[in-house]
mmCIF file of all heavy atoms in Angstrom:
data_model
loop_
_atom_site.group_PDB
_atom_site.id
_atom_site.type_symbol
_atom_site.label_atom_id
_atom_site.label_comp_id
_atom_site.label_asym_id
_atom_site.label_seq_id
_atom_site.Cartn_x
_atom_site.Cartn_y
_atom_site.Cartn_z
ATOM 1 N N LEU A 333 -4.111 20.613 -25.999
ATOM 2 C CA LEU A 333 -5.215 20.281 -25.098
ATOM 3 C C LEU A 333 -4.767 19.302 -24.014
ATOM 4 O O LEU A 333 -5.153 19.430 -22.849
ATOM 5 C CB LEU A 333 -6.405 19.723 -25.880
ATOM 6 C CG LEU A 333 -7.144 20.736 -26.756
ATOM 7 C CD1 LEU A 333 -8.176 20.038 -27.623
ATOM 8 C CD2 LEU A 333 -7.773 21.830 -25.911
ATOM 9 N N MET A 334 -3.930 18.318 -24.373
ATOM 10 C CA MET A 334 -3.430 17.374 -23.371
ATOM 11 C C MET A 334 -2.481 18.047 -22.385
ATOM 12 O O MET A 334 -2.528 17.774 -21.187
ATOM 13 C CB MET A 334 -2.752 16.178 -24.028
ATOM 14 C CG MET A 334 -3.737 15.197 -24.618
ATOM 15 S SD MET A 334 -2.966 13.659 -25.131
ATOM 16 C CE MET A 334 -2.768 12.843 -23.552
ATOM 17 N N SER A 335 -1.623 18.922 -22.885
ATOM 18 C CA SER A 335 -0.724 19.659 -21.987
ATOM 19 C C SER A 335 -1.529 20.512 -21.020
ATOM 20 O O SER A 335 -1.233 20.571 -19.814
ATOM 21 C CB SER A 335 0.220 20.563 -22.783
ATOM 22 O OG SER A 335 1.105 19.784 -23.544
ATOM 23 N N PHE A 336 -2.567 21.148 -21.537
ATOM 24 C CA PHE A 336 -3.427 21.968 -20.696
ATOM 25 C C PHE A 336 -4.160 21.094 -19.670
ATOM 26 O O PHE A 336 -4.254 21.451 -18.491
ATOM 27 C CB PHE A 336 -4.412 22.757 -21.560
ATOM 28 C CG PHE A 336 -5.362 23.592 -20.766
ATOM 29 C CD1 PHE A 336 -4.913 24.699 -20.061
ATOM 30 C CD2 PHE A 336 -6.704 23.269 -20.705
ATOM 31 C CE1 PHE A 336 -5.783 25.466 -19.305
ATOM 32 C CE2 PHE A 336 -7.587 24.039 -19.956
ATOM 33 C CZ PHE A 336 -7.125 25.136 -19.262
ATOM 34 N N ALA A 337 -4.664 19.937 -20.099
ATOM 35 C CA ALA A 337 -5.333 19.014 -19.173
ATOM 36 C C ALA A 337 -4.377 18.592 -18.058
ATOM 37 O O ALA A 337 -4.750 18.556 -16.885
ATOM 38 C CB ALA A 337 -5.857 17.792 -19.927
ATOM 39 N N ASP A 338 -3.149 18.290 -18.414
ATOM 40 C CA ASP A 338 -2.141 17.889 -17.432
ATOM 41 C C ASP A 338 -1.989 18.963 -16.355
ATOM 42 O O ASP A 338 -1.992 18.672 -15.157
ATOM 43 C CB ASP A 338 -0.819 17.645 -18.159
ATOM 44 C CG ASP A 338 0.300 17.196 -17.247
ATOM 45 O OD1 ASP A 338 0.080 16.312 -16.407
ATOM 46 O OD2 ASP A 338 1.416 17.729 -17.396
ATOM 47 N N MET A 339 -1.892 20.206 -16.770
ATOM 48 C CA MET A 339 -1.723 21.308 -15.811
ATOM 49 C C MET A 339 -3.004 21.595 -15.031
ATOM 50 O O MET A 339 -2.973 21.792 -13.815
ATOM 51 C CB MET A 339 -1.246 22.560 -16.536
ATOM 52 C CG MET A 339 0.181 22.429 -17.034
ATOM 53 S SD MET A 339 0.756 23.917 -17.859
ATOM 54 C CE MET A 339 0.157 23.624 -19.511
ATOM 55 N N ALA A 340 -4.138 21.632 -15.726
ATOM 56 C CA ALA A 340 -5.411 21.961 -15.074
ATOM 57 C C ALA A 340 -5.822 20.877 -14.083
ATOM 58 O O ALA A 340 -6.327 21.181 -13.004
ATOM 59 C CB ALA A 340 -6.498 22.169 -16.130
ATOM 60 N N TRP A 341 -5.613 19.622 -14.440
ATOM 61 C CA TRP A 341 -6.030 18.537 -13.557
ATOM 62 C C TRP A 341 -5.042 18.344 -12.420
ATOM 63 O O TRP A 341 -5.430 18.144 -11.271
ATOM 64 C CB TRP A 341 -6.212 17.239 -14.338
ATOM 65 C CG TRP A 341 -7.248 17.332 -15.410
ATOM 66 C CD1 TRP A 341 -8.140 18.360 -15.623
ATOM 67 C CD2 TRP A 341 -7.504 16.388 -16.444
ATOM 68 N NE1 TRP A 341 -8.920 18.100 -16.724
ATOM 69 C CE2 TRP A 341 -8.560 16.896 -17.249
ATOM 70 C CE3 TRP A 341 -6.947 15.159 -16.777
ATOM 71 C CZ2 TRP A 341 -9.071 16.207 -18.344
ATOM 72 C CZ3 TRP A 341 -7.449 14.467 -17.871
ATOM 73 C CH2 TRP A 341 -8.503 14.985 -18.652
ATOM 74 N N GLY A 342 -3.753 18.416 -12.703
ATOM 75 C CA GLY A 342 -2.754 18.225 -11.657
ATOM 76 C C GLY A 342 -2.728 19.362 -10.649
ATOM 77 O O GLY A 342 -2.303 19.172 -9.500
ATOM 78 N N ARG A 343 -3.197 20.515 -11.059
ATOM 79 C CA ARG A 343 -3.165 21.703 -10.174
ATOM 80 C C ARG A 343 -3.919 21.470 -8.867
ATOM 81 O O ARG A 343 -3.593 22.040 -7.837
ATOM 82 C CB ARG A 343 -3.742 22.905 -10.905
ATOM 83 C CG ARG A 343 -3.589 24.211 -10.161
ATOM 84 C CD ARG A 343 -3.429 25.342 -11.150
ATOM 85 N NE ARG A 343 -3.344 26.631 -10.521
ATOM 86 C CZ ARG A 343 -2.210 27.159 -10.043
ATOM 87 N NH1 ARG A 343 -1.090 26.475 -10.125
ATOM 88 N NH2 ARG A 343 -2.207 28.353 -9.498
ATOM 89 N N ILE A 344 -4.922 20.586 -8.884
ATOM 90 C CA ILE A 344 -5.699 20.331 -7.678
ATOM 91 C C ILE A 344 -4.807 19.783 -6.559
ATOM 92 O O ILE A 344 -5.058 20.029 -5.381
ATOM 93 C CB ILE A 344 -6.893 19.394 -7.978
ATOM 94 C CG1 ILE A 344 -7.926 19.461 -6.838
ATOM 95 C CG2 ILE A 344 -6.459 17.970 -8.242
ATOM 96 C CD1 ILE A 344 -8.668 20.747 -6.755
ATOM 97 N N ILE A 345 -3.737 19.078 -6.895
ATOM 98 C CA ILE A 345 -2.821 18.537 -5.886
ATOM 99 C C ILE A 345 -2.080 19.680 -5.198
ATOM 100 O O ILE A 345 -1.943 19.697 -3.973
ATOM 101 C CB ILE A 345 -1.853 17.535 -6.520
ATOM 102 C CG1 ILE A 345 -2.643 16.370 -7.104
ATOM 103 C CG2 ILE A 345 -0.831 17.036 -5.499
ATOM 104 C CD1 ILE A 345 -1.923 15.622 -8.182
ATOM 105 N N SER A 346 -1.628 20.640 -5.979
ATOM 106 C CA SER A 346 -0.984 21.815 -5.394
ATOM 107 C C SER A 346 -1.957 22.560 -4.498
ATOM 108 O O SER A 346 -1.611 22.954 -3.386
ATOM 109 C CB SER A 346 -0.490 22.759 -6.490
ATOM 110 O OG SER A 346 0.453 22.128 -7.309
ATOM 111 N N LEU A 347 -3.173 22.754 -4.970
ATOM 112 C CA LEU A 347 -4.153 23.551 -4.241
ATOM 113 C C LEU A 347 -4.628 22.886 -2.959
ATOM 114 O O LEU A 347 -4.839 23.543 -1.951
ATOM 115 C CB LEU A 347 -5.355 23.843 -5.141
ATOM 116 C CG LEU A 347 -5.073 24.764 -6.315
ATOM 117 C CD1 LEU A 347 -6.240 24.740 -7.292
ATOM 118 C CD2 LEU A 347 -4.792 26.175 -5.844
ATOM 119 N N GLN A 348 -4.810 21.574 -3.001
ATOM 120 C CA GLN A 348 -5.368 20.901 -1.835
ATOM 121 C C GLN A 348 -4.321 20.270 -0.927
ATOM 122 O O GLN A 348 -4.581 20.063 0.249
ATOM 123 C CB GLN A 348 -6.392 19.857 -2.265
ATOM 124 C CG GLN A 348 -7.619 20.512 -2.861
ATOM 125 C CD GLN A 348 -8.766 19.549 -3.105
ATOM 126 O OE1 GLN A 348 -8.689 18.361 -2.824
ATOM 127 N NE2 GLN A 348 -9.848 20.067 -3.650
ATOM 128 N N LYS A 349 -3.132 19.975 -1.457
ATOM 129 C CA LYS A 349 -2.139 19.250 -0.664
ATOM 130 C C LYS A 349 -0.811 19.984 -0.504
ATOM 131 O O LYS A 349 0.039 19.557 0.271
ATOM 132 C CB LYS A 349 -1.866 17.875 -1.280
ATOM 133 C CG LYS A 349 -3.101 16.998 -1.416
ATOM 134 C CD LYS A 349 -3.651 16.623 -0.060
ATOM 135 C CE LYS A 349 -4.860 15.714 -0.193
ATOM 136 N NZ LYS A 349 -5.322 15.252 1.114
ATOM 137 N N SER A 350 -0.568 21.045 -1.287
ATOM 138 C CA SER A 350 0.694 21.810 -1.255
ATOM 139 C C SER A 350 1.911 20.915 -1.485
ATOM 140 O O SER A 350 2.900 20.963 -0.751
ATOM 141 C CB SER A 350 0.831 22.591 0.059
ATOM 142 O OG SER A 350 -0.180 23.564 0.154
ATOM 143 N N TYR A 351 1.834 20.107 -2.522
ATOM 144 C CA TYR A 351 2.941 19.253 -2.940
ATOM 145 C C TYR A 351 3.409 19.658 -4.328
ATOM 146 O O TYR A 351 2.605 20.059 -5.173
ATOM 147 C CB TYR A 351 2.497 17.780 -3.043
ATOM 148 C CG TYR A 351 2.622 16.996 -1.776
ATOM 149 C CD1 TYR A 351 1.528 16.807 -0.945
ATOM 150 C CD2 TYR A 351 3.835 16.418 -1.406
ATOM 151 C CE1 TYR A 351 1.637 16.066 0.221
ATOM 152 C CE2 TYR A 351 3.947 15.674 -0.241
ATOM 153 C CZ TYR A 351 2.844 15.505 0.564
ATOM 154 O OH TYR A 351 2.971 14.778 1.715
ATOM 155 N N SER A 352 4.698 19.487 -4.579
ATOM 156 C CA SER A 352 5.209 19.478 -5.952
ATOM 157 C C SER A 352 4.892 18.091 -6.497
ATOM 158 O O SER A 352 4.909 17.109 -5.751
ATOM 159 C CB SER A 352 6.717 19.713 -5.957
ATOM 160 O OG SER A 352 7.011 20.982 -5.446
ATOM 161 N N TRP A 353 4.616 17.991 -7.772
ATOM 162 C CA TRP A 353 4.167 16.713 -8.330
ATOM 163 C C TRP A 353 4.621 16.540 -9.771
ATOM 164 O O TRP A 353 5.007 17.503 -10.440
ATOM 165 C CB TRP A 353 2.634 16.615 -8.267
ATOM 166 C CG TRP A 353 1.932 17.811 -8.863
ATOM 167 C CD1 TRP A 353 1.555 18.947 -8.220
ATOM 168 C CD2 TRP A 353 1.574 18.014 -10.236
ATOM 169 N NE1 TRP A 353 0.972 19.846 -9.091
ATOM 170 C CE2 TRP A 353 0.969 19.291 -10.339
ATOM 171 C CE3 TRP A 353 1.684 17.238 -11.386
ATOM 172 C CZ2 TRP A 353 0.483 19.801 -11.537
ATOM 173 C CZ3 TRP A 353 1.212 17.749 -12.598
ATOM 174 C CH2 TRP A 353 0.615 19.024 -12.660
ATOM 175 N N VAL A 354 4.587 15.293 -10.229
ATOM 176 C CA VAL A 354 4.828 14.950 -11.631
ATOM 177 C C VAL A 354 3.709 14.029 -12.099
ATOM 178 O O VAL A 354 3.037 13.392 -11.290
ATOM 179 C CB VAL A 354 6.209 14.261 -11.845
ATOM 180 C CG1 VAL A 354 7.344 15.214 -11.550
ATOM 181 C CG2 VAL A 354 6.325 12.994 -11.022
ATOM 182 N N THR A 355 3.535 13.973 -13.395
ATOM 183 C CA THR A 355 2.484 13.149 -13.986
ATOM 184 C C THR A 355 2.989 11.734 -14.192
ATOM 185 O O THR A 355 4.063 11.526 -14.760
ATOM 186 C CB THR A 355 2.048 13.745 -15.339
ATOM 187 O OG1 THR A 355 1.712 15.120 -15.137
ATOM 188 C CG2 THR A 355 0.874 12.988 -15.924
ATOM 189 N N VAL A 356 2.208 10.767 -13.741
ATOM 190 C CA VAL A 356 2.510 9.353 -13.954
ATOM 191 C C VAL A 356 1.737 8.842 -15.166
ATOM 192 O O VAL A 356 2.281 8.162 -16.029
ATOM 193 C CB VAL A 356 2.138 8.516 -12.703
ATOM 194 C CG1 VAL A 356 2.311 7.031 -12.960
ATOM 195 C CG2 VAL A 356 2.944 8.977 -11.499
ATOM 196 N N ARG A 357 0.458 9.193 -15.223
ATOM 197 C CA ARG A 357 -0.395 8.726 -16.333
ATOM 198 C C ARG A 357 -1.461 9.776 -16.591
ATOM 199 O O ARG A 357 -2.021 10.345 -15.658
ATOM 200 C CB ARG A 357 -1.070 7.415 -15.948
ATOM 201 C CG ARG A 357 -2.011 6.899 -17.020
ATOM 202 C CD ARG A 357 -2.777 5.654 -16.610
ATOM 203 N NE ARG A 357 -1.908 4.679 -16.012
ATOM 204 C CZ ARG A 357 -2.276 3.866 -15.007
ATOM 205 N NH1 ARG A 357 -3.491 3.937 -14.520
ATOM 206 N NH2 ARG A 357 -1.435 2.996 -14.507
ATOM 207 N N LEU A 358 -1.733 9.998 -17.861
ATOM 208 C CA LEU A 358 -2.807 10.913 -18.259
ATOM 209 C C LEU A 358 -3.619 10.213 -19.331
ATOM 210 O O LEU A 358 -3.080 9.870 -20.389
ATOM 211 C CB LEU A 358 -2.218 12.227 -18.786
ATOM 212 C CG LEU A 358 -3.178 13.378 -18.977
ATOM 213 C CD1 LEU A 358 -3.729 13.859 -17.627
ATOM 214 C CD2 LEU A 358 -2.501 14.538 -19.686
ATOM 215 N N MET A 359 -4.875 9.958 -19.031
ATOM 216 C CA MET A 359 -5.763 9.285 -19.996
ATOM 217 C C MET A 359 -6.848 10.269 -20.408
ATOM 218 O O MET A 359 -7.565 10.802 -19.545
ATOM 219 C CB MET A 359 -6.366 8.030 -19.379
ATOM 220 C CG MET A 359 -5.302 6.998 -19.053
ATOM 221 S SD MET A 359 -5.945 5.458 -18.392
ATOM 222 C CE MET A 359 -6.705 5.998 -16.885
ATOM 223 N N CYS A 360 -6.934 10.522 -21.702
ATOM 224 C CA CYS A 360 -7.850 11.537 -22.220
ATOM 225 C C CYS A 360 -8.757 10.948 -23.286
ATOM 226 O O CYS A 360 -8.306 10.207 -24.155
ATOM 227 C CB CYS A 360 -7.067 12.694 -22.842
ATOM 228 S SG CYS A 360 -6.045 13.589 -21.688
ATOM 229 N N ASP A 361 -10.017 11.309 -23.209
ATOM 230 C CA ASP A 361 -10.982 11.008 -24.262
ATOM 231 C C ASP A 361 -11.331 12.327 -24.935
ATOM 232 O O ASP A 361 -11.877 13.233 -24.293
ATOM 233 C CB ASP A 361 -12.237 10.369 -23.675
ATOM 234 C CG ASP A 361 -11.961 8.994 -23.082
ATOM 235 O OD1 ASP A 361 -11.240 8.209 -23.726
ATOM 236 O OD2 ASP A 361 -12.456 8.723 -21.977
ATOM 237 N N PHE A 362 -10.974 12.440 -26.216
ATOM 238 C CA PHE A 362 -11.254 13.646 -26.989
ATOM 239 C C PHE A 362 -12.689 13.554 -27.510
ATOM 240 O O PHE A 362 -13.019 12.637 -28.248
ATOM 241 C CB PHE A 362 -10.275 13.769 -28.161
ATOM 242 C CG PHE A 362 -8.877 14.100 -27.726
ATOM 243 C CD1 PHE A 362 -7.997 13.103 -27.336
ATOM 244 C CD2 PHE A 362 -8.439 15.412 -27.715
ATOM 245 C CE1 PHE A 362 -6.710 13.409 -26.931
ATOM 246 C CE2 PHE A 362 -7.154 15.729 -27.313
ATOM 247 C CZ PHE A 362 -6.289 14.721 -26.923
ATOM 248 N N LEU A 363 -13.518 14.521 -27.135
ATOM 249 C CA LEU A 363 -14.926 14.483 -27.494
ATOM 250 C C LEU A 363 -15.321 15.555 -28.496
ATOM 251 O O LEU A 363 -16.301 15.414 -29.218
ATOM 252 C CB LEU A 363 -15.787 14.637 -26.232
ATOM 253 C CG LEU A 363 -15.483 13.609 -25.130
ATOM 254 C CD1 LEU A 363 -16.277 13.927 -23.877
ATOM 255 C CD2 LEU A 363 -15.744 12.203 -25.612
ATOM 256 N N SER A 364 -14.571 16.654 -28.531
ATOM 257 C CA SER A 364 -14.848 17.753 -29.442
ATOM 258 C C SER A 364 -13.571 18.555 -29.624
ATOM 259 O O SER A 364 -12.618 18.374 -28.857
ATOM 260 C CB SER A 364 -15.974 18.634 -28.879
ATOM 261 O OG SER A 364 -16.351 19.625 -29.813
ATOM 262 N N GLY A 365 -13.556 19.437 -30.596
ATOM 263 C CA GLY A 365 -12.386 20.259 -30.857
ATOM 264 C C GLY A 365 -12.609 21.702 -30.472
ATOM 265 O O GLY A 365 -13.741 22.163 -30.342
ATOM 266 N N ALA A 366 -11.513 22.412 -30.273
ATOM 267 C CA ALA A 366 -11.555 23.850 -29.996
ATOM 268 C C ALA A 366 -11.041 24.586 -31.232
ATOM 269 O O ALA A 366 -10.091 24.137 -31.866
ATOM 270 C CB ALA A 366 -10.713 24.192 -28.774
ATOM 271 N N LYS A 367 -11.654 25.688 -31.534
ATOM 272 C CA LYS A 367 -11.304 26.478 -32.711
ATOM 273 C C LYS A 367 -10.521 27.724 -32.305
ATOM 274 O O LYS A 367 -10.554 28.158 -31.163
ATOM 275 C CB LYS A 367 -12.561 26.863 -33.463
ATOM 276 C CG LYS A 367 -13.386 25.677 -33.935
ATOM 277 C CD LYS A 367 -14.582 26.137 -34.722
ATOM 278 C CE LYS A 367 -15.489 25.018 -35.178
ATOM 279 N NZ LYS A 367 -14.925 23.740 -35.390
ATOM 280 N N LEU A 368 -9.840 28.287 -33.261
ATOM 281 C CA LEU A 368 -9.116 29.536 -33.069
ATOM 282 C C LEU A 368 -10.052 30.559 -32.438
ATOM 283 O O LEU A 368 -11.168 30.775 -32.910
ATOM 284 C CB LEU A 368 -8.590 30.031 -34.413
ATOM 285 C CG LEU A 368 -7.665 31.237 -34.392
ATOM 286 C CD1 LEU A 368 -6.364 30.905 -33.666
ATOM 287 C CD2 LEU A 368 -7.360 31.686 -35.820
ATOM 288 N N GLY A 369 -9.608 31.166 -31.334
ATOM 289 C CA GLY A 369 -10.400 32.180 -30.643
ATOM 290 C C GLY A 369 -11.251 31.646 -29.502
ATOM 291 O O GLY A 369 -11.750 32.427 -28.694
ATOM 292 N N ASP A 370 -11.423 30.323 -29.411
ATOM 293 C CA ASP A 370 -12.227 29.757 -28.315
ATOM 294 C C ASP A 370 -11.556 29.990 -26.969
ATOM 295 O O ASP A 370 -10.333 29.947 -26.850
ATOM 296 C CB ASP A 370 -12.420 28.243 -28.485
ATOM 297 C CG ASP A 370 -13.510 27.872 -29.474
ATOM 298 O OD1 ASP A 370 -14.244 28.763 -29.934
ATOM 299 O OD2 ASP A 370 -13.622 26.663 -29.781
ATOM 300 N N TRP A 371 -12.363 30.215 -25.955
ATOM 301 C CA TRP A 371 -11.911 30.303 -24.562
ATOM 302 C C TRP A 371 -12.080 28.899 -23.977
ATOM 303 O O TRP A 371 -13.192 28.379 -23.909
ATOM 304 C CB TRP A 371 -12.753 31.321 -23.800
ATOM 305 C CG TRP A 371 -12.375 31.481 -22.367
ATOM 306 C CD1 TRP A 371 -13.039 31.013 -21.279
ATOM 307 C CD2 TRP A 371 -11.232 32.186 -21.854
ATOM 308 N NE1 TRP A 371 -12.388 31.378 -20.133
ATOM 309 C CE2 TRP A 371 -11.282 32.102 -20.451
ATOM 310 C CE3 TRP A 371 -10.183 32.879 -22.447
ATOM 311 C CZ2 TRP A 371 -10.314 32.671 -19.627
ATOM 312 C CZ3 TRP A 371 -9.221 33.452 -21.620
ATOM 313 C CH2 TRP A 371 -9.289 33.348 -20.234
ATOM 314 N N VAL A 372 -10.969 28.276 -23.588
ATOM 315 C CA VAL A 372 -10.954 26.893 -23.105
ATOM 316 C C VAL A 372 -10.694 26.896 -21.604
ATOM 317 O O VAL A 372 -9.779 27.572 -21.129
ATOM 318 C CB VAL A 372 -9.874 26.072 -23.845
ATOM 319 C CG1 VAL A 372 -9.783 24.655 -23.291
ATOM 320 C CG2 VAL A 372 -10.147 26.056 -25.353
ATOM 321 N N GLU A 373 -11.495 26.141 -20.875
ATOM 322 C CA GLU A 373 -11.363 26.051 -19.417
ATOM 323 C C GLU A 373 -11.186 24.600 -19.005
ATOM 324 O O GLU A 373 -11.593 23.681 -19.723
ATOM 325 C CB GLU A 373 -12.599 26.622 -18.723
ATOM 326 C CG GLU A 373 -12.844 28.077 -19.036
ATOM 327 C CD GLU A 373 -14.071 28.628 -18.343
ATOM 328 O OE1 GLU A 373 -14.318 28.262 -17.177
ATOM 329 O OE2 GLU A 373 -14.777 29.431 -18.970
ATOM 330 N N GLY A 374 -10.594 24.407 -17.820
ATOM 331 C CA GLY A 374 -10.436 23.063 -17.309
ATOM 332 C C GLY A 374 -10.227 23.038 -15.812
ATOM 333 O O GLY A 374 -9.726 24.006 -15.233
ATOM 334 N N GLU A 375 -10.631 21.925 -15.208
ATOM 335 C CA GLU A 375 -10.405 21.731 -13.787
ATOM 336 C C GLU A 375 -10.413 20.249 -13.468
ATOM 337 O O GLU A 375 -10.917 19.434 -14.240
ATOM 338 C CB GLU A 375 -11.432 22.485 -12.935
ATOM 339 C CG GLU A 375 -12.853 22.058 -13.142
ATOM 340 C CD GLU A 375 -13.850 22.959 -12.411
ATOM 341 O OE1 GLU A 375 -13.435 23.975 -11.837
ATOM 342 O OE2 GLU A 375 -15.035 22.628 -12.430
ATOM 343 N N GLY A 376 -9.812 19.920 -12.333
ATOM 344 C CA GLY A 376 -9.748 18.542 -11.886
ATOM 345 C C GLY A 376 -10.356 18.370 -10.519
ATOM 346 O O GLY A 376 -10.463 19.328 -9.747
ATOM 347 N N GLU A 377 -10.727 17.135 -10.227
ATOM 348 C CA GLU A 377 -11.301 16.774 -8.932
ATOM 349 C C GLU A 377 -10.477 15.621 -8.379
ATOM 350 O O GLU A 377 -10.309 14.589 -9.039
ATOM 351 C CB GLU A 377 -12.750 16.344 -9.119
ATOM 352 C CG GLU A 377 -13.392 15.787 -7.886
ATOM 353 C CD GLU A 377 -14.742 15.132 -8.168
ATOM 354 O OE1 GLU A 377 -15.154 15.012 -9.337
ATOM 355 O OE2 GLU A 377 -15.380 14.727 -7.180
ATOM 356 N N LEU A 378 -9.962 15.792 -7.177
ATOM 357 C CA LEU A 378 -9.183 14.751 -6.523
ATOM 358 C C LEU A 378 -10.137 13.648 -6.075
ATOM 359 O O LEU A 378 -11.043 13.886 -5.286
ATOM 360 C CB LEU A 378 -8.435 15.349 -5.326
ATOM 361 C CG LEU A 378 -7.462 14.460 -4.592
ATOM 362 C CD1 LEU A 378 -6.357 13.955 -5.518
ATOM 363 C CD2 LEU A 378 -6.858 15.211 -3.423
ATOM 364 N N ILE A 379 -9.932 12.419 -6.607
ATOM 365 C CA ILE A 379 -10.851 11.325 -6.287
ATOM 366 C C ILE A 379 -10.165 10.170 -5.557
ATOM 367 O O ILE A 379 -10.843 9.245 -5.109
ATOM 368 C CB ILE A 379 -11.589 10.807 -7.543
ATOM 369 C CG1 ILE A 379 -10.621 10.281 -8.584
ATOM 370 C CG2 ILE A 379 -12.495 11.892 -8.108
ATOM 371 C CD1 ILE A 379 -11.288 9.567 -9.748
#
Side-chain angles (χ1 to χ4, degrees):
L333 290 173
M334 284 190 78
S335 293
F336 178 69
D338 181 46
M339 290 181 274
W341 300 350
R343 188 148 177 85
I344 197 70
I345 299 157
S346 299
L347 292 168
Q348 292 189 1
K349 302 294 182 175
S350 296
Y351 272 97
S352 297
W353 52 270
V354 294
T355 307
V356 174
R357 178 185 313 145
L358 192 66
M359 296 183 297
C360 297
D361 294 316
F362 289 85
L363 305 174
S364 186
K367 301 182 183 332
L368 187 65
D370 280 352
W371 180 255
V372 176
E373 299 180 38
E375 62 188 6
E377 173 191 6
L378 186 59
I379 60 171

